[in-house]
Amino acid sequence: GEARVVPSPLDTVVGGVQQAINIDDHSAVLVRNEDDGTLKLHTSHGLFFPGPYQQIVSEQKKIILEEYQSMVYKDKTGKFHYVRGDSDMRDFFLPPFCEVAT
């Protein structure tokens, strides 16, 4: 049930205090849920405050390709995805479990 918890002066916070991250058009946050291990990319605008069982894995910047640029990234199944700057997907965030192929 409900209970009031008042920390004593010698109690410490496990994991410390986490800072909020500002999310806008060009930034996102990759967060791991420590209960089930899932990764989620948060792109909704405003401040993101991690919950008690959420760990910020990384901050991501939006990838913006010019019309003459192209890139390749690999998803979690090993499939390669080709993206060109003259396509509809010219600006995007890299999905969870994906990496840029070099």
Side-chain angles (χ1 to χ4, degrees), residues 17-52:
V17 177
Q18 296 186 25
Q19 297 293 319
I21 305 293
N22 187 29
I23 299 175
D24 57 15
D25 287 336
H26 299 286
S27 62
V29 176
L30 185 63
V31 177
R32 180 179 307 278
N33 186 339
E34 292 179 342
D35 282 340
D36 55 10
T38 58
L39 284 176
K40 183 176 179 184
L41 186 66
H42 290 273
T43 58
S44 57
H45 291 229
L47 289 175
F48 173 76
F49 293 93

Side-chain angles (χ1 to χ4, degrees), residues 82-101:
Y82 301 91
V83 183
R84 294 176 45 164
D86 58 358
S87 68
D88 292 338
M89 196 177 151
R90 64 178 291 175
D91 55 344
F92 63 98
F93 292 106
L94 199 61
F97 299 108
C98 292
E99 60 184 38
V100 176

